[in-house]
C-alpha cells in the first residue's frame, strides 16, 4: 500500500484499518510515509482510535516476588494475551494507585507525596506538582485514603484526586474528609472539604470509576456509592439496588460497563451483574447472571477487575481469568509461576490502550 498523491489525508478505509491496530504496530506504521506519521497528531484520528480502544478492556497487574524486588508490570489482553511493560521511564520506584482511559496515576514508594500521571504505551508522563502542605495530615500513615484519576478523552484533560480524613497532630481523626483535586489544564490544586463517615476496603479503594464527569467509589460496607462530582466539587451518595446486600458469603464490587456504572455481586454459587441504566433516577437493572460452578474452588478468593458487554476479567491470588459472556466459557489468561508476596487482585487495575498525551 503506497502513500502517494496530492491528498492531504489518508483514505478513510486506511484510517479505519490503522485505528484498529495495537499501539505498538501503529507506531511502527508511522514510518511508512509522512501522512501516516502525521495521523497521531490529527484530532479526528486520535478520537477514532480512542473510541475503538475503549471497547477493549484489559487488566494491568503489578507482580512482586519479594519486598525488595523490582516489581514487574504485566498487561493482560483478551485477544493478544499477556505482555510485560515497564515504568522505568519515570526514573522512580512506583506503585499504581489508579487507572483511567489509558492513563495511570502512580505514587513514589521512596518519596511520599510524589505522584505521576503517565501513559505507559506512549511513555509520556507528568510529574504532579506537590501541594503546598505535606500529605502527612492524611490519616493513616501519611497516605490519602482514596486516590482517583479522571481522564476526559474528549476534552483531553485529566484530574487527580487525593482524599482522606484530616487529623490534628496528636489527636484521633475528627471525621473531616478533605479532598484535593489537581487539574491538568490549570496545573493547580483545589481543596474540597466534606463531612463523611465512610470506610473502604482495599478493593473498594482501588475500584474507582469515572463516568458522567464524576468519580465513584463503593463503600466498604457496600451500602452505597460515594460520588465526587468534579464539575461542581460536590460529594454525594448514590443508592444501590435493594437486592444487593453483603454478608454471609456475599460480596459486591464497582466496575465500569460500556461507559456506565456496574455492580458485580458474588455469592457462593452465582455472580450477578447490575448496570445503572438511568444515572439521574438511579435505576439499576440485572444484565447477566453467571453460574460459578465451574470455578467453585476459586470463588472465595476471586475478584472482578474489568469488563465489557462481551467478557469479564477476574483475578485470584495467583491467576487472571477471563469469562466470555456469550459462550459462557472460562479461560485462564495468566498464572504466577513463582511465589508472589501479594495476591494478584491486590494490585490489579482495569486498563485500556489510548493515545492520550499527559504532558
Amino acid at each position: 500500500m503506497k502513500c502517494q498523491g496530492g491528498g492531504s489525508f489518508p483514505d478513510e478505509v486506511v484510517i479505519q484499518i490503522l485505528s484498529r491496530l495495537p499501539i505498538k504496530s501503529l507506531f511502527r506504521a508511522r514510518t511508512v510515509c509522512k501522512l501516516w506519521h502525521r495521523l497521531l497528531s490529527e484530532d479526528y484520528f486520535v478520537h477514532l482510535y480512542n473510541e475503538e480502544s475503549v471497547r477493549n478492556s484489559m487488566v494491568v497487574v503489578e507482580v512482586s516476588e519479594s519486598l525488595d524486588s523490582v516489581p514487574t508490570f504485566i498487561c493482560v489482553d483478551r485477544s493478544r494475551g499477556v505482555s510485560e511493560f515497564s515504568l522505568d521511564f519515570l526514573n522512580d520506584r512506583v506503585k499504581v494507585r489508579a487507572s483511567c482511559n489509558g492513563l495511570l496515576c502512580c505514587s513514589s514508594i521512596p518519596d511520599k507525596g510524589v505522584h505521576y500521571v503517565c501513559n505507559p504505551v506512549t511513555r509520556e508522563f507528568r510529574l504532579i506538582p506537590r501541594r503546598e502542605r505535606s500529605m502527612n495530615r492524611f490519616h493513616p500513615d501519611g497516605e490519602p485514603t482514596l486516590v482517583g484519576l479522571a481522564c476526559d478523552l474528549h476534552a483531553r484533560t485529566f484530574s487527580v484526586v487525593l482524599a482522606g480524613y484530616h487529623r490534628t497532630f496528636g489527636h484521633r481523626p475528627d471525621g473531616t474528609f478533605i479532598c484535593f483535586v489537581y487539574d491538568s489544564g490549570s496545573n493547580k490544586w483545589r481543596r474540597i472539604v466534606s463531612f463523611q463517615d465512610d470506610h473502604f476496603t482495599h478493593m473498594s479503594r482501588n475500584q474507582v470509576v469515572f463516568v458522567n464527569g464524576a468519580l465513584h467509589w463503593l463503600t466498604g460496607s457496600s451500602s452505597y456509592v460515594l460520588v465526587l462530582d468534579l464539575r461542581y466539587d460536590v460529594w454525594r451518595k448514590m443508592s444501590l439496588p435493594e437486592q444487593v446486600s453483603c454478608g454471609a458469603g456475599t460480596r459486591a464490587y464497582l466496575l465500569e460497563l460500556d461507559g456506565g456504572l456496574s455492580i458485580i455481586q458474588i455469592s457462593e454459587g452465582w455472580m450477578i451483574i447490575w448496570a445503572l441504566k438511568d444515572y439521574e433516577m438511579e435505576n439499576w437493572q440485572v444484565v447477566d447472571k453467571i453460574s460459578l460452578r465451574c470455578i467453585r474452588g476459586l470463588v472465595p478468593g476471586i475478584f472482578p477487575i474489568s469488563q465489557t458487554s462481551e467478557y469479564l476479567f477476574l483475578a485470584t491470588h495467583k491467576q487472571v481469568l477471563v469469562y466470555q459472556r456469550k459462550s459462557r466459557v472460562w479461560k485462564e489468561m495468566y498464572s504466577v509461576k513463582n511465589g508472589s508476596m501479594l495476591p494478584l487482585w491486590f494490585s490489579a487495575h482495569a486498563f485500556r490502550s489510548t493515545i492520550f498525551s499527559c504532558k
Side-chain angles (χ1 to χ4, degrees), residues 295-333:
I295 59 167
R296 184 176 300 171
L298 300 175
V299 171
I302 199 167
F303 297 84
I305 305 300
S306 67
Q307 65 174 334
T308 69
S309 57
E310 297 181 359
Y311 56 91
L312 172 66
F313 275 115
L314 306 100
T316 68
H317 192 102
K318 293 187 176 183
Q319 299 164 295
V320 175
L321 308 176
V322 63
Y323 174 77
Q324 308 287 347
R325 293 176 60 181
K326 292 183 179 179
S327 63
R328 299 192 177 275
V329 172
W330 293 89
K331 182 181 178 181
E332 180 185 286
M333 296 294 297

Side-chain angles (χ1 to χ4, degrees), residues 72 96 190 201 306 348:
T72 300
V96 177
R190 63 183 187 270
T201 65
S306 67

Side-chain angles (χ1 to χ4, degrees), residues 101-161:
N101 287 332
L103 298 187
L104 300 177
C105 178
C106 305
S107 63
S108 172
I109 295 175
D111 194 359
K112 286 190 176 182
V114 172
H115 291 81
Y116 306 86
V117 171
C118 68
N119 187 330
V121 296
T122 63
R123 297 178 69 84
E124 294 181 344
F125 73 93
R126 181 186 294 196
L127 174 62
I128 305 303
R130 284 180 179 267
R131 288 177 41 254
E132 292 182 3
R133 294 185 177 182
S134 172
M135 284 295 176
N136 61 9
R137 295 183 73 84
F138 279 128
H139 179 81
D141 300 329
E143 290 286 340
T145 305
L146 301 179
V147 177
L149 177 62
C151 172
D152 189 326
L153 290 176
H154 299 287
R156 300 193 188 179
T157 59
F158 65 85
S159 298
V160 175
V161 173

Side-chain angles (χ1 to χ4, degrees), residues 60-81:
V60 163
V61 185
E62 178 183 335
V63 181
S64 299
E65 295 185 359
S66 69
L67 292 175
D68 299 325
S69 65
V70 177
T72 300
F73 295 93
I74 64 169
C75 182
V76 184
D77 188 325
R78 177 182 65 111
S79 57
R80 301 184 182 96

Side-chain angles (χ1 to χ4, degrees), residues 136-276:
N136 61 9
R137 295 183 73 84
F138 279 128
H139 179 81
D141 300 329
E143 290 286 340
T145 305
L146 301 179
V147 177
L149 177 62
C151 172
D152 189 326
L153 290 176
H154 299 287
R156 300 193 188 179
T157 59
F158 65 85
S159 298
V160 175
V161 173
L162 307 179
Y165 292 98
H166 177 80
R167 67 174 179 179
T168 304
F169 288 110
H171 296 81
R172 294 180 61 82
D174 58 13
T176 304
F177 202 67
I178 298 182
C179 171
F180 297 93
V181 180
Y182 169 79
D183 177 72
S184 66
S186 64
N187 197 35
K188 294 180 180 179
W189 290 92
R190 63 183 187 270
R191 186 173 185 260
I192 308 171
V193 178
S194 180
F195 293 93
Q196 306 284 345
D197 188 21
D198 307 303
H199 300 279
F200 305 90
T201 65
H202 178 87
M203 207 62 192
S204 64
R205 293 198 305 267
N206 269 7
Q207 294 183 321
V208 51
V209 178
F210 174 63
V211 297
N212 283 38
L215 289 167
H216 304 74
W217 287 270
L218 184 65
T219 56
S221 60
S222 301
S223 54
Y224 54 84
V225 175
L226 186 64
V227 184
L228 173 59
D229 193 320
L230 294 171
R231 295 164 296 188
Y232 306 106
D233 286 349
V234 174
W235 288 95
R236 61 185 177 87
K237 297 177 180 179
M238 177 180 289
S239 61
L240 298 177
E242 294 182 359
Q243 298 90 331
V244 175
S245 61
C246 293
T250 302
R251 298 170 284 149
Y253 304 94
L254 185 69
L255 295 184
E256 179 188 349
L257 178 58
D258 296 339
L261 284 179
S262 174
I263 294 291
I264 310 291
Q265 185 179 10
I266 297 179
S267 62
E268 183 177 350
W270 293 93
M271 179 163 56
I272 301 175
I273 301 179
W274 296 80
L276 186 61

